[in-house]
Amino acid sequence: MTPWLSRPLARVLRLWGLATRSMTLGARIVALDAEGRVFLVRHGYREGWYMPGGAVDPGETVLEAVVREAREEGNLVCEVTPVLVSVHYNRRERRDHVLVYRCDRVRQTEPRKADWEIAESGFFALDALPEGTTPATRRRLAEALGGEPPAEDW
């Protein structure tokens, strides 16, 4: 799907979700490899680099969602159980809460091939994050890895 079509489609799906649900729940994962590098993704339908994550599906626990998103967005396997780091309210999306998990040992089974959802992905040293890493992603990394106190808002 081309970027000019995928961005409007993503916006429509987000609005549909807000209209049909009283609250949305999402999960993101701070996924670290054996070298201490963090895995980030760049979506094809929005600007910036993010931690893998997404919506919690019906009938799924948040932990199941975060493990699934790591697998889908990065071919990542959590070799230890991810640990809940923080919970945030996303005021921009109204009624949206995001839980952030941390997994200190992930293994990538194979490189993630680019497609319409994930345009690029990779492991990055914390002192060499890619240009365009979003401010929220940087804040969550500082909270999860740098000892900053978690903010309530995303």
Side-chain angles (χ1 to χ4, degrees), residues 67-144:
V67 168
R68 174 182 51 76
E69 290 288 348
R71 184 182 66 250
E72 289 176 359
E73 293 191 0
N75 294 325
L76 302 177
V77 174
C78 296
E79 295 186 326
V80 297
T81 302
V83 176
L84 178 64
V85 173
S86 54
V87 179
H88 306 272
Y89 177 53
N90 186 353
R91 293 182 189 278
R92 192 189 75 178
E93 296 291 334
R94 286 187 20 224
R95 304 178 305 210
D96 181 46
H97 290 78
V98 182
L99 284 71
V100 176
Y101 281 75
R102 175 178 168 168
C103 184
D104 288 340
R105 283 197 355 235
V106 298
R107 175 178 47 83
Q108 189 173 44
T109 58
E110 63 182 296
R112 171 68 155 79
K113 292 182 178 145
D115 59 22
W116 74 271
E117 182 186 9
I118 306 296
E120 290 182 87
S121 63
F123 287 96
F124 300 92
L126 296 172
D127 61 356
L129 297 177
E131 185 176 325
T133 300
T134 66
T137 297
R138 289 179 184 278
R139 287 192 302 271
R140 300 299 80 84
L141 292 174
E143 293 164 358

Side-chain angles (χ1 to χ4, degrees), residues 40-69:
L40 299 176
V41 299
R42 188 178 66 76
H43 296 281
Y45 53 87
R46 74 171 113 166
E47 298 296 320
W49 287 86
Y50 299 83
M51 298 173 294
V56 178
D57 290 338
E60 184 177 52
T61 69
V62 180
L63 182 58
E64 289 169 339
V66 81
V67 168
R68 174 182 51 76
E69 290 288 348

